[in-house]
Structure formats: structure tokens, C-alpha cells
Amino acid sequence: MEARATVAGATAIKRAGRLACALALFLSWAVASTMPAAAQCTAKNTAFLPGEKVSYELMFNWKFIWIKVGTAELTTDTANYQGKPGYRFLLKSLTSKRADFFFKMRDTLTCYVSNRLEPLYFCKAAEEGKRHTMDEAWFSYVNGKSHVKQQRTWYKPARETNHMEYTAEDGCIFDMLSILGQARSWRAEDYKVGDKIHFPMATGRRVEQQTLIYRGIENVEAKDDKTYRCLVFSFVEYDKKGEEKEVITFFISDDDNHLPIRLDMYLSFGSAKAFFSGVEGNRYPLESVVE
């Protein structure tokens, strides 16, 4: 059993980078479910306050063994980007010291938005094993259209920097964290089980169209020893035949905070989860807690 646990630990940590990235996407997909059909590039913040800090535990399952591989923390503060006052969202994911023995992971996602929550800049600095990269996205708005310039810089191994530009003919382009900040202030009362939501996202390398499906409401246990009433959504992909494949299931607190409570990610070798473990500085009471 001990030998199997060691192998499971090594495999789990090698997937920690994927889990951390999925957590970032989870945070954005989760609240994007509240996005209206024609999203505006600006919105009024009614969901969060500067100083909010949300914590998560990253876990991996190999057969019947659950292994904690790291932690993640999302913080929100006031900030100034190129003279524009607004907010900074910062998501840090890292493996534990014990996990570093198998695979060291240090991922930092940074996003700046204006006071009206329009995306201005996004960066993902990823140190995963022997690989070290930085993905960046710069947003601009001309003649009513959203434009993004993106690039990936390779530090280890050293490679040529990749560049890409994209202009949206209609609507807005968001990144993993700016969509979180804006969508948390939107409402989702009109959605029915089975409804699909589509939206574009800049990852720092490309702009991708995402698909979410609303599944309903479920009670979920978190790592803070509480149970939350959650909205359940699925992120799905489609194969060449158009058949649907569920990639991630996630659970969002059914209150005005719209906090991601748990993520379930399906891998070829097992499953991974991100568990909500606590929040500080939340704007509203956690009314989704089930007594």
C-alpha cells in the first residue's frame, strides 16, 4: 500500500499544474453562468469588496487514495493600471513542500480591471516542474470593438516568444479572472436546467469559445466543515462528431457572493478536486450555508 501511495503521489503532483489551471478556469466559468446574452464590457460591482481572500485545497484521487497536492488563494484589492484606477485579482496556486519532491508547481495569475470592471491586463506566470512560461494579454477598446494582444514568453526551455492579436466583432473578450470579477455581479434567476451558456475567453495564447450547461441545485460539503447550497454547472467539450464530453463539474454558492465551492475535474488517470476552505472579507453573509 505504501508503494502504491508513493506512485499515486508522484502522478498526482504531475497533474497539479493542470488542476491549478483548471481552478482558474473554474473560477471564471463558474460565475460566467450569470452572464446575460449580450454582455457589456463594463459593469457595476455589487458582489465583492477590496481585501476579499478566498482559499482552496487541491486534491487528487488515484483509485481509492485521496492526496492533498497543494493550495490556492484568490485575493482582490484596489489597484492602478497605467493611470486607470480599478481592481487587481490575484490567484496563487502552489504545491506543498512534500509535493515539491515529486513536482514543483508555482502558478500566479494576475488581472487588472477598471472601476467599471472592463479587462485591462492579464498575466499567467507558470513554473511547473522544469517548465517556466508567462502568458500575457493586453486589452483595448476602439470604435466599440474589443481587441486583445497576447503573447507567450518561454523562459525554461528558452524559445521564441509567440504573439497573437484578436478583435471581437460583437461583444467583449474576457480573461480567466476579469470574467470572474464582472460576472459575480450578474444574476442567474432565468436559467433552467439544461440551458447552455457560451462566451469568449483570452487565455494569453488564444481566444477560445467556452460552453457551460446548468445542471440544477445540490448541497456540497467544503473543507471548512460546512455544507453549502450550490448551483451546479458543467464545462463540456465536443468531439468531431459533435458528441458532448463533460470535462469539469463545479458548484457555486447560491447566495450574493457567488463563491466557487468545489470543482470536480475528470482525468484519464483519475479525478481531481479543488475544495473551498475559507473566505475573509466577503461582502455578504454566506446565506447558502445549510444548517
Side-chain angles (χ1 to χ4, degrees):
M1 178 64 70
E2 183 177 351
R4 290 182 179 179
T6 302
V7 173
T11 305
I13 303 311
K14 290 180 181 179
R15 286 166 172 78
R18 286 186 61 189
L19 178 55
C21 183
L23 175 63
L25 293 174
F26 161 57
L27 290 166
S28 53
W29 292 331
V31 291
S33 58
T34 60
M35 183 183 297
Q40 300 298 314
C41 292
T42 62
K44 180 180 179 181
N45 168 34
T46 61
F48 61 83
L49 295 173
E52 182 188 72
K53 181 170 66 174
V54 191
S55 301
Y56 295 89
E57 292 185 9
L58 308 180
M59 309 284 292
F60 182 81
N61 177 262
W62 183 78
K63 294 187 177 181
F64 299 104
I65 304 172
W66 277 102
I67 304 167
K68 181 178 178 180
V69 296
T71 59
E73 184 177 270
L74 174 69
T75 58
T76 301
D77 293 293
T78 55
N80 213 295
Y81 179 76
Q82 294 186 347
K84 294 183 178 181
Y87 301 96
R88 184 194 69 175
F89 305 124
L90 184 67
L91 174 64
K92 292 185 177 182
S93 304
L94 68 158
T95 47
S96 62
K97 291 183 178 179
R98 179 182 179 184
D100 285 346
F101 177 80
F102 299 102
F103 184 86
K104 182 179 181 180
M105 186 268 292
R106 300 289 186 272
D107 284 0
T108 301
L109 281 71
T110 307
C111 170
Y112 288 88
V113 299
S114 70
N115 277 332
R116 300 187 301 166
L117 303 180
E118 60 187 347
L120 301 174
Y121 172 74
F122 168 78
C123 175
K124 178 189 175 185
E127 183 180 355
E128 299 169 356
K130 296 181 179 180
R131 192 188 74 166
H132 186 188
T133 60
M134 180 178 291
D135 295 331
E136 296 176 277
W138 295 264
F139 299 87
S140 59
Y141 308 89
V142 180
N143 298 325
K145 295 184 178 181
S146 299
H147 180 80
V148 61
K149 176 182 176 182
Q150 303 182 83
Q151 74 176 31
R152 162 167 280 196
T153 304
W154 289 86
Y155 296 100
K156 293 180 182 179
R159 297 183 189 174
E160 183 178 350
T161 298
N162 304 116
H163 301 272
M164 193 205 101
E165 294 191 34
Y166 180 88
T167 299
E169 296 300 323
D170 297 303
C172 290
I173 309 167
F174 296 94
D175 59 73
M176 297 177 186
L177 294 184
S178 63
I179 187 66
L180 167 66
Q182 186 167 139
R184 283 180 66 182
S185 295
W186 295 332
R187 311 299 301 177
E189 286 124 354
D190 297 331
Y191 284 105
K192 299 178 181 178
V193 175
D195 279 356
K196 295 182 179 181
I197 305 100
H198 307 278
F199 62 99
M201 180 184 295
T203 65
R205 301 182 64 190
R206 61 182 68 91
V207 174
E208 300 176 343
Q209 294 295 323
Q210 308 291 357
T211 300
L212 291 167
I213 301 177
Y214 176 54
R215 301 298 191 188
I217 297 177
E218 184 177 330
N219 291 342
V220 174
E221 293 183 9
K223 286 295 183 180
D224 61 349
D225 298 323
K226 296 179 182 177
T227 299
Y228 294 83
R229 183 181 65 256
C230 293
L231 306 171
V232 184
F233 292 88
S234 296
F235 168 67
V236 299
E237 293 179 346
Y238 297 91
D239 59 23
K240 295 181 180 179
K241 296 181 180 179
E243 294 183 358
E244 184 181 292
K245 176 184 177 182
E246 183 150 351
V247 180
I248 300 175
T249 304
F250 47 86
F251 307 82
I252 312 306
S253 66
D254 186 18
D255 55 36
D256 289 337
N257 296 289
H258 289 151
L259 292 171
I261 299 299
R262 197 183 86 202
L263 166 152
D264 295 352
M265 185 170 71
Y266 307 103
L267 306 172
S268 59
F269 191 75
S271 60
K273 295 180 186 289
F275 288 94
F276 171 82
S277 58
V279 61
E280 299 176 10
N282 43 301
R283 185 167 184 169
Y284 302 104
L286 298 175
E287 296 180 349
S288 60
V289 173
V290 178
E291 299 295 340

